[in-house]
Amino acid sequence: MAESLSSTLSSAVQIIGKLVIEEVKFLQGVSERVRLLHDDLKGIQRFLRYADTKQTARDSIQQWVPEFRAVAYEAIDLVEDYVLRVSISSNGGCCTLKRIACMATEGYARHNLGVEIQSLRNRISNLTKNFGEYGHVMTRTEEGESSAPSRLQQLRRTRSSVADKDVVELPDDVQVLVKYLLNEVAEHKISVASIFGMGGIGKTTLARKVYHHGRLKDYFEGFAWVCVSQQWQPNDLLQGILLKLTPEQSNQIMTSKQDGLERLLQHHLQDNKCLIVLDDLWSTEAWDCLKDVIPVSEDGSKILLTTRNEDVAAYVGPNGYHHKLRCLTEEESWELLRKKSLWESNGAGCEDLGKMEELGKKMLNNCRGLPLALVVLGGILRTKKTLKEWKEVHENIKSYLARGEKIGKEGEVPKILAYSYYDLPWQLKPCFLYLGKFREDSDIRAESLYQMWMGEGMIFENDRREQETMMDVAERYLKELAIRCMVEIKAYEEGKHAVTKLESCRLHDLMRDLCLDKAKEENLYKLVDRSPSQDSPPTTEAQFGLVLRLLPEDISQYKFPPKEQTKHLCSFLCDPLAGKGQLPIPGVRIMSQVKNLKMLRVLAMLSFNMASQSCYLKSPLGYVSKLIHLRCLRLRGQSINLPYSLGNLKYLETLDLSGSDNSCRIPNVLWKLERFRYLYLPNWWLGPQHKWGPQPKLQLSKQLEILESFDNRFCYPKDVCKLSNLRSFKANVYKNLEDLERIINHISNLDCLRISSLIIRSCNFGKTNSNNSNDSNGSLDVLSRVLFSRNIHELEIRNSLCKKLPDYQSQTVPHPAGLTQLSLSYSGIEEDPMATLEKLPKLRILELGPKSFLGQEMSCHSMGFPQLKDLVLFGLGNLMQWKVDEGAMPKLSGLRIEVCTTLEMIPDGLRCLTTLEEVSLAGMPEEFNNRVRIENGQQGEDYDKISHVPSVKIYSFHFRISFLKKICKI
């Protein structure tokens, strides 16, 4: 139970230590007492680190862990609360009489602080008397404490994800399922195939291999994968399926109600043969919700499902094929463990290699052939290099398993998984447990996770290396969890620029059960995911974190525990169980309770409407300014009106309004926040105008490292020039070329920038000056600096006129152009844009949208587009001929041609593109489509140009034309 307490105390030591150094002027008169309290906490911290290595010491303090945790939180709250309130009072600009009153108040508060610190120190002293023979550890000086690098500073460079080859291949299982889905088992044609077996046995892994099998790509016209899990919502399932099958309809899908989604899915499946995977299906109710809108048949669309329950499999497909997964044999288990532990490479040249193998095979017995348990054990052993360390793991596992307690729901979490938590470095234990806060089977966005970890004090300054940010340290923490196979991670695809290397992570449901079980045991946070019954006994212990994941009607009725239990609550996450397309739920009542959580450091309120029902000028978010300890504030929804007193949140590091719309209002106080690092503004182009009055222009804090959804209508472009620490910059620039030039001049010279994205709207790059003479040279110079900057990675230009693109001369620019993704629409280019664009050395994605090019001929020359992977030609109404030379676009994998109604034929050069995997034609004339089809056994004239492409999709003309008209209106 003490495992994550060490991290809590370390956080307390770090926070109070920084306050002693940085806020010394506000601690005058009490600084010595604060230092003594700091030393007492360090003593407990030393003991807990020692106890973590000694079973008897750990056991001796279990009963006092809740008291230790309370002391740590009270110490942080006490000192930080005092410093913050004194600093706000001192900066209030009071007149003389008020200042005298303030000084008197401060004197009283200083006296109270001293008394309460002494009371805390007495409690610590009484607690440590119980340490008995281990008390000497408290007072021992920790040698090299400040200079010795932590375990996590020494993490090796490693792969960002586990390769598919590092699993035991079961080819027979894959081939059997593929044959059934292809109707190759003549005596048993099916519409449903299922994979069932116990948790952690590899159902999802097998389903994934089948889903991506090459033979299925030729048979089915569409593919969708959706995780069902235990807490499912009809809208979520329908949206998830439709977004995979018809991504071009995403706007309609995300705004449709359930009946509209059902009609869309039925309509699509009537015309297309699709494979739909329902992963982790727990109950028959979820299938009852879907069965009427997913018409499956032996010769049409089919279902592949995974479940732990054979009865569920039989219910969904009574006449289907049910594939039961077996546990691995001893030989297969050793093969998997050997690969996951990197046994051969870690032990290369080691004379004890044979003994290590012997130990490894003994430990196999604890995994009982369960792949997940073997993978996690391999992750543990991967961090151990010597025979001595392997022996320690073996002995510790035997000791741990001997305890015999049940873990997780009904004891179904294998104990070897639980041991992997015990083996974690102390810094990582709370970080791992924190992952249980997120939805089951969800992809957890790495960037947001890091900021929440930092907000709760889980990322430590002394783990930073040179040039590293705290986000980089957090990413190393997550990578270490992945190395140990406790979490699955997804890296950004190669060539994709991002502020982090990892895009997201997710937990296996058994690992999530372990998280929730340990978090409950250690009272780290409470997850409320079902409405409490009236018969439920009230909880009495103090709470330090709270997660609400309920239906909207249950959230509106939820009552917080008494103040005594929530006085040290550090984080509150409210994530309603509602479909993504549903309207945000009223947030007034829940915010009226949040105002009492004075010690909050992380607050996340998702999918709420913050408009007051009684007065349109009043906002329930006025209470936020009272939460002066906040580090991370995430709000997503409508009518978000932040108070002017937001400027009092002295320690705020993250403000995340992403996913919110134009109904937000933000006061111009962000520049006051000295520790502000991460700002995600709302999408100013979505939703209705807010009713709070005009949005004031925002001045920016010069410490910002991430700035997203910057808009020159609502922010000062000159402030961008002060941001020397920017790692991520995403902006909209509207109409003003001077603003654009100022921004591009600054960010082009930033060495620390990792990702920048620009959307340019309604800028005339072929404009005339005040004398009506052509000023295209000056505006083209701005455009060339945008297109050819080393630091512009993603670019979208809309409604911005430009008769021709500037020429790219690589030898005349100091750095190669960094552009990887470009989208043009309504730009009215008259000369072939490919002559310029094909020279961009890093361009991977190119979309030429409606009226972006007005000419009739377009050519891609040999050696052009060396990195291009995806090309979209959309709405080029004048284009008649497109030529592709041999050697052009050597890496192209995806081509989409939509509503180019005058294009005569597919270019001959496509037959040379051996990397092309998919060609999609939509809204094209029938005569064009017929040239690439086989009709009645007769090949069209252009069929041989793309006959080598694995997937060729042709969509109807009328549907795409109506879709184009909607896009044009937008």
Side-chain angles (χ1 to χ4, degrees), residues 577-693:
L577 283 174
K580 298 181 181 67
Q582 295 185 10
L583 293 175
I585 63 177
V588 175
R589 187 178 181 279
I590 199 77
M591 277 306 301
S592 68
Q593 298 186 79
V594 169
K595 70 178 181 180
N596 297 317
L597 310 177
K598 299 295 176 62
M599 297 304 169
L600 274 184
R601 284 157 173 76
V602 174
L603 172 61
M605 301 277 291
L606 310 180
S607 298
F608 282 87
N609 188 321
M610 292 297 177
S612 172
Q613 304 301 310
S614 57
C615 175
Y616 81 92
L617 288 176
K618 187 178 180 181
S619 167
L621 290 170
Y623 303 125
V624 165
S625 62
K626 299 182 183 297
L627 309 177
I628 59 177
H629 300 272
L630 269 183
R631 265 76 169 173
C632 178
L633 176 59
R634 296 182 62 206
L635 301 171
R636 184 179 305 145
Q638 297 175 354
S639 300
I640 294 173
N641 182 20
L642 292 169
Y644 188 82
S645 51
L646 185 74
N648 289 342
L649 303 184
K650 184 176 178 180
Y651 290 129
L652 191 67
E653 298 169 346
T654 301
L655 176 60
D656 186 352
L657 302 172
S658 60
S660 301
D661 60 20
N662 195 35
S663 60
C664 294
R665 187 178 185 277
I666 309 164
N668 183 25
V669 295
L670 301 181
W671 59 273
K672 296 181 178 181
L673 306 177
E674 297 176 358
R675 304 193 183 201
F676 199 38
R677 295 289 184 275
Y678 316 111
L679 174 58
Y680 303 82
L681 292 166
N683 187 336
W684 306 104
W685 293 86
L686 286 181
Q689 185 76 25
H690 56 70
K691 58 189 177 184
W692 317 107

Side-chain angles (χ1 to χ4, degrees), residues 378-421:
I380 295 170
L381 295 174
R382 183 186 296 194
T383 66
K384 317 300 180 185
K385 304 289 187 182
T386 66
L387 176 62
K388 180 183 177 183
E389 290 177 307
W390 278 51
K391 283 182 177 178
E392 286 177 356
V393 172
H394 183 226
E395 292 303 318
N396 285 335
I397 286 176
K398 286 199 301 183
S399 172
Y400 192 84
L401 297 183
R403 298 183 189 180
E405 78 269 27
K406 287 187 175 183
I407 303 164
K409 299 171 185 174
E410 300 177 1
E412 64 185 10
V413 176
K415 290 175 185 172
I416 194 70
L417 305 189
Y419 173 75
S420 68
Y421 170 73

